Amino acid sequence: MVREWDPRTASSAEIASLLDTLNAVLAADLPQDPPWRANSLREYLSEVMPGERRISWIAQEDPAPDGAPGAIVGHVHVLLLGGIGVLEVLTHPARRRTGIGRELVRVAARRAWDEGFQSIGVEVVGDTPAVAFYEALGFTREYVETRSVLDLGAVDWPALTEMDTGVGAGYHVEFCPGGPPDELIEAYARAKAEVRDMDDGELRPSSYDPERLRDSLATLHRRGMKPYIVLALHEQSGEVAGLTEVVVPAQHPTRADQYDTIVVRDHRGHGIDRAIKARMLLELRSAEPEVAEVQTWNAQANESMLKVNAELGYRPDRDWCEYSVDVAELVHRLDSHR
């Protein structure tokens, strides 16, 4: 049975059942990834940025003979933002090839169509069954990143300390747990605007204005995702010359997520990228001792950042692909095969 589902009002048993399915998917498709925990999972599934909406459905087995609710064996949510709906679909490995995944995509696509959205995007992990699943539904690959993972147990910490002090004259590096100080929010947003023309349609939009940036940081905290920021400041102007962001999710606190790393164009060539990423890892080791790994995503054409990551000890892991499809075509295809 597929039904619309609200994680804000769901029972604790339903949240736990969904977590079991999520971890079964990880064990089957990404066995090196750490299992998720229940910590703040409800908030992770329900909190969104102002102006965005997330609508969810579950596939649930029939109740047991004693009346106990059936297990959740599938889940989909569609995040409606800007001009696109972004899907995320889970189907328990034991229930794949039974039509559950197609039905979950169908109900989400139908809602996106009813809401007036013309396209749907989805992130698809390379070398997993999801690639063939979405391609069979007519999704087209639009963008590919490489995910790399850093094992903190294998880091050369003395070399990292040298990188931390390698920033050029006229700059200094600051660590900002929780987010940048309010007096630097505007300068921080200006620095993030450097990537405005290089997003290539990514499904994880950056925040380019101060208010959206404040909202983004507040949303991260509500979702149980603790941000850490390292800034490179230009001493003469006080401007943010570079920044790097790492988020430690309560849901998988042993593996942190690297977000944006940006060096403003006018300040490149001063060793800022290495220095801020090295400082981040040094600070993270003290601030979050449970973190054992950091994962990051980079465009395959971003050779300079891939080189920096390799020097820090990151190792390429998998392709991370973004697919999209016309909503009308998808709805027609799925409805005609019911």
Side-chain angles (χ1 to χ4, degrees):
M1 175 182 68
V2 172
R3 63 179 175 87
E4 193 166 334
W5 183 75
D6 188 345
R8 294 170 297 182
T9 58
S11 69
S12 296
E14 288 178 337
I15 296 293
S17 183
L18 177 59
L19 178 63
D20 288 342
T21 288
L22 169 59
N23 282 330
V25 170
L26 288 175
D29 296 345
L30 295 166
Q32 284 74 43
D33 281 28
W36 281 42
R37 304 178 186 178
N39 303 7
S40 298
L41 183 57
R42 185 188 303 275
E43 291 77 13
Y44 178 86
L45 294 167
S46 57
E47 293 289 342
V48 295
M49 289 275 287
E52 299 177 358
R53 288 179 296 144
R54 181 183 284 114
I55 308 170
S56 299
W57 294 261
I58 56 170
Q60 190 169 21
E61 293 183 333
D62 294 334
D66 63 1
I72 293 175
V73 294
H75 173 258
V76 62
H77 67 236
V78 58
L79 180 64
L80 302 175
L81 71 163
I84 190 170
V86 182
L87 284 182
E88 187 168 332
V89 183
L90 294 172
T91 303
H92 195 288
R95 299 298 302 274
R96 290 173 177 170
R97 299 185 177 276
T98 64
I100 288 175
R102 290 177 65 92
E103 178 62 12
L104 289 169
V105 172
R106 189 192 70 81
V107 296
R110 169 60 67 178
R111 177 62 65 86
W113 173 250
D114 291 343
E115 298 271 354
F117 286 77
Q118 296 183 348
S119 64
I120 285 180
V122 64
E123 289 190 336
V124 181
V125 183
D127 297 322
T128 67
V131 174
F133 173 75
Y134 286 108
E135 289 182 351
L137 294 180
F139 283 77
T140 302
R141 185 179 299 189
E142 303 286 351
Y143 184 77
V144 180
E145 294 179 308
T146 297
R147 183 180 77 166
S148 300
V149 178
L150 174 65
D151 177 2
L152 295 186
V155 165
D156 184 343
W157 294 105
L160 213 66
T161 302
E162 289 187 18
M163 293 183 196
D164 172 36
T165 59
V167 67
Y171 300 91
H172 71 273
V173 176
E174 291 187 7
F175 176 58
C176 306
D182 197 64
E183 64 269 18
L184 287 175
I185 285 285
E186 291 191 8
Y188 192 88
R190 286 195 295 273
K192 286 178 74 71
E194 281 280 311
V195 298
R196 186 193 307 271
D197 298 324
M198 298 184 294
D199 280 346
D200 294 324
E202 283 189 85
L203 303 182
R204 299 185 301 276
S206 193
S207 300
Y208 306 127
D209 68 81
E211 286 310 308
R212 181 171 173 82
L213 185 53
R214 289 186 179 95
D215 288 339
S216 178
L217 291 165
T219 302
L220 284 174
H221 284 288
R222 292 196 307 270
R223 299 183 81 198
M225 305 168 75
K226 189 184 300 182
Y228 291 93
I229 312 294
V230 171
L231 303 177
L233 298 175
H234 185 230
E235 293 172 351
Q236 183 175 359
S237 66
E239 286 293 299
V240 172
L243 63 94
T244 191
E245 307 162 331
V246 166
V247 171
V248 179
Q251 300 81 17
H252 52 89
T254 63
R255 180 179 283 191
D257 297 328
Q258 174 79 60
Y259 280 28
D260 283 345
T261 297
I262 298 166
V263 179
V264 175
R265 188 171 289 104
D266 290 344
H267 299 283
R268 293 174 185 171
H270 299 280
I272 290 173
D273 45 7
R274 290 174 181 81
I276 58 178
K277 296 198 78 166
R279 171 66 67 83
M280 175 65 79
L281 295 173
L282 291 165
E283 297 285 2
L284 201 61
R285 182 170 59 159
S286 299
E288 294 284 348
E290 193 175 359
V291 172
E293 298 171 312
V294 181
Q295 59 186 0
T296 188
W297 294 263
N298 296 102
Q300 294 176 340
N302 191 350
E303 295 180 2
S304 61
M305 191 56 65
L306 289 171
K307 182 174 184 293
V308 169
N309 286 340
E311 292 174 357
L312 293 169
Y314 283 88
R315 295 293 177 263
D317 175 50
R318 287 184 184 250
D319 285 345
W320 218 263
C321 311
E322 294 180 3
Y323 280 73
S324 67
V325 69
D326 180 84
V327 174
E329 293 178 4
L330 179 60
V331 169
H332 175 74
R333 181 178 293 112
L334 291 170
D335 282 348
S336 64
H337 286 86
R338 291 192 71 190

